[in-house]
Amino acid sequence: MAILETKDLSIQFGGLKAVDHLNLTIEKGQLYGLIGPNGAGKTTVFNMLTGVYQPTGGTIHLDGICINGKNPVEINKLGIARTFQNIRLFGKMSVIDNVKVGFGNSIKCSLFESFFHVGRYKKNEKEVTAKALELLKVFDLDGEANTLASNLPYGKQRKLEIARAMATNPKLLLLDEPAAGMNPHETAELMQTIRFVRDNFDMTVLLIEHDMKLVGGICEQVTVLNFGQELAKGETSEVLNDPRVITAYIGEDE
Amino acid sequence: MRKCEVTGVKKLTLSATAKDRYTTYGLVVLIAVAVQLFVSYGNASNSFKGLLVPTCVYVLAALSLNLVVGVSGELSLGQAGFMCIGAYVGATFSVITAESIASDAVRFTIAILLGGIVAGVFGFLIGIPVLRLRGDYLAIVTLAFGEIIKSVCGNLYLSADKNGLFVALDVKAKSAHAFDAATKVDYVNGALGINGIPRTSNIRVNEWAFVICMAVILIAVIVMLNFIDSKQGRAVMAARDNRIAAEAMGVNVTRSKMTAFVMSAFFAGVAGVLYAHNYNVLDTSNFDYNQSILILVFVVLGGMTKMRSVMISTIILYVLPEALRGLNKWRMLIYAIVLIAMMLINNSVAIKKLVEKIQAKFAKGAENKEGGAA
């Protein structure tokens, strides 16, 4: 069964159809790309999948459960985590605390135990610190565990966002332009990391990206959006060579 | 994937936050011991002794407000209202039980807990509508609630006779009520407030007053810092730094903010109880919005981050105008200059860098020491 399935997913802002009858089917373990020119509605799709926007039409099923009308917190608990196009870290918290926030819902600790650091607190905290460091190590951030998140360089902030999202133990990871602002070397490294994460953490990844090298390099399937509508979908190499897609990106030959 | 000694980093992580916490606890204990020694063996003036308990009250109030302003990132202007609730509940309890509870310590402890809990309950009730608002709106509504509380307490009549308790919010209702004159006792008397808080539970006359107050502060600081270093506390700070991202990470933002708000109200209530027991008479005149603003000034100039710096800023800013009383007309000018200077220092990049440098040096020193020990 598909891990994520949207049927005729649509949203309308006034007269503008930002996303129009989008059908996505993502299988478990896939690395799926969502691409399209600026303003095509890609981030709007993410916002609908995570409950920030409520779709005006169509359905979203995560692992067979309908998540229409659920709020972001509920959706996260059901297993979707995301990163943001414009980085949204917890800037005044340390790198490791950012990740620990992600682990929050997996920690069972009452308020009383937290007030006095008794009972399950010590054991839980030790576990979560170890798990957070392990996760940071995957992204080569363990050396900066105690740095304030806002003091990290840009590329590392992007990586930290992915680490934080993974800490919530999602079934489906949504990455919104993970390579934006990275140099080619960093992008290559990121591609490896994303693949590593998918293979070792039993995760499905849906990503938005403009860097075609990254999309072509790691995505198995892509859907191309243009003006809110599906322009093409299928195997990455075929879609990227589709003349309609090329036209949408770079315009028509005069 | 990449090689790095995880255990070493883990040790550092744990010790970094723990060390910071213990520094703060140490500071509280140090101040308590030093000042108490001075009071007991030095020749402390009466005005100095008179300042001790109020300073503690404001330190606790500022710490409690920091939970909302610093940790939770919301601007609340109603802190004096919660102090007022704590003060009234605590003082009324002490007056009513002056004879029935023989032990001063027991009565005082119950008064503190009761005052804090009732303030916390009101914090919860007020939090339900208030925490739906954000930014300036939240500030204005908390200000209004603070004034409402003050107003209600200032018009509250609580008396008792052999037929039971009598509560009214109107002097006419009270005069219309037929009391049994022989057994009538007034506890709360409208604008006149609460009279005759029992002398025995008055902490001002206790020579250990300061240590008692500092013990309360120490417990408060321990609970607050423990909270900050827990799953719930991290959720509160996450919601402060980025609400949308916090929600996407499964943080229930409303519940987190409510937790911080109720905790803040609780400790403000406790501060109010301490305040009330420093006087024989209690009325609402000291719980107006000026008081809330004053506490906010302590918090903001304390930098709104570390509990420790909020504490220090409160001590400086509360004691300074009193200490300068001798300078008479220059007093407020100096106070104003200090306020401005602290504000500039807080935001100065150069000084921040200097502090970071010093901290880095200390960290290096500690590392070397650890390395040497190993």
Side-chain angles (χ1 to χ4, degrees), chain B residues 3-322:
Chain B
K3 272 175 205 155
C4 175
E5 215 179 312
V6 178
T7 48
V9 181
K10 187 164 75 186
K11 230 184 237 163
L12 196 74
T13 314
L14 287 176
S15 68
T17 50
K19 208 193 281 169
D20 201 56
R21 273 212 307 267
Y22 288 117
T23 313
T24 309
Y25 304 157
L27 186 74
V28 176
V29 174
L30 190 75
I31 293 174
V33 171
V35 173
Q36 189 61 41
L37 282 177
F38 181 60
V39 169
S40 298
Y41 299 107
N43 61 21
S45 68
N46 273 337
S47 68
F48 179 81
K49 284 183 196 161
L51 267 180
L52 292 178
V53 175
T55 308
C56 291
V57 169
Y58 285 102
V59 166
L60 190 53
L63 288 173
S64 76
L65 184 61
N66 194 34
L67 281 175
V68 174
V69 176
V71 178
S72 160
E74 302 289 356
L75 185 56
S76 164
L77 297 176
Q79 210 64 6
F82 295 123
M83 279 177 79
C84 183
I85 293 175
Y88 263 66
V89 170
T92 310
F93 176 80
S94 282
V95 172
I96 291 178
T97 58
E99 271 129 41
S100 49
I101 297 179
S103 161
D104 291 335
V106 172
R107 193 189 318 119
F108 189 57
T109 311
I110 299 177
I112 284 179
L113 289 175
L114 199 65
I117 288 169
V118 175
V121 168
F122 273 88
F124 178 74
L125 295 176
I126 292 170
I128 294 171
V130 163
L131 292 175
R132 286 165 189 275
L133 305 167
R134 290 176 206 176
D136 305 346
Y137 299 100
L138 189 141
I140 290 166
V141 175
T142 48
L143 180 96
F145 271 111
E147 288 297 297
I148 291 172
I149 291 167
K150 181 195 164 221
S151 193
V152 169
C153 287
N155 288 294
L156 184 69
Y157 293 88
L158 180 67
S159 306
D161 59 12
K162 65 173 185 191
N163 300 320
L165 276 177
F166 169 81
V167 188
L169 278 172
D170 186 5
V171 72
K172 278 182 208 145
K174 192 189 170 191
S175 34
H177 188 77
F179 282 104
D180 178 58
T183 52
K184 183 189 170 209
V185 201
D186 286 337
Y187 295 125
V188 184
N189 216 346
L192 294 175
I194 301 173
N195 218 323
I197 299 164
R199 212 164 157 67
T200 45
S201 62
N202 188 324
I203 45 175
R204 193 183 41 176
V205 298
N206 190 325
E207 63 168 322
W208 295 99
F210 185 70
V211 171
I212 294 168
C213 289
M214 286 306 269
V216 174
I217 289 178
L218 183 63
I219 294 169
V221 170
I222 289 175
V223 170
M224 287 175 190
L225 290 181
N226 278 352
F227 173 72
I228 289 172
D229 188 27
S230 76
K231 127 189 182 184
Q232 289 92 347
R234 284 193 293 267
V236 173
M237 292 185 288
R240 167 199 69 191
D241 282 0
N242 201 311
R243 190 186 179 103
I244 293 172
E247 277 178 343
M249 295 304 122
V251 171
N252 187 332
V253 170
T254 314
R255 189 166 65 194
S256 295
K257 292 212 184 276
M258 182 63 98
T259 311
F261 198 68
V262 170
M263 271 179 82
S264 165
F266 175 88
F267 287 115
V270 172
V273 177
L274 294 182
Y275 178 90
H277 286 80
N278 194 36
Y279 301 98
N280 298 325
V281 182
L282 176 77
D283 62 24
T284 56
S285 59
N286 251 324
F287 297 114
D288 59 356
Y289 74 95
N290 277 323
Q291 190 83 300
S292 300
I293 303 282
L294 186 71
I295 299 167
L296 183 67
V297 168
F298 296 156
V299 174
V300 171
L301 290 184
M304 294 187 285
T305 45
K306 288 210 164 115
M307 292 293 171
R308 196 163 62 221
S309 34
V310 168
M311 219 155 64
I312 293 167
S313 112
T314 309
I315 294 172
I316 294 173
L317 290 177
Y318 184 71
V319 173
L320 191 73
E322 303 296 329

Side-chain angles (χ1 to χ4, degrees), chain A residues 116-156:
Chain A
F116 299 100
H117 284 192
V118 292
R120 289 171 289 185
Y121 175 86
K122 288 228 162 81
K123 189 171 147 275
N124 282 337
E125 202 65 12
K126 216 174 185 174
E127 269 174 25
V128 87
T129 307
K131 275 199 283 185
L133 278 168
E134 207 174 290
L135 197 51
L136 285 177
K137 206 167 144 190
V138 171
F139 292 89
D140 199 18
L141 285 166
D142 50 343
E144 278 132 317
N146 289 318
T147 316
L148 280 191
S150 55
N151 289 349
L152 284 180
Y154 189 81
K156 289 190 169 177

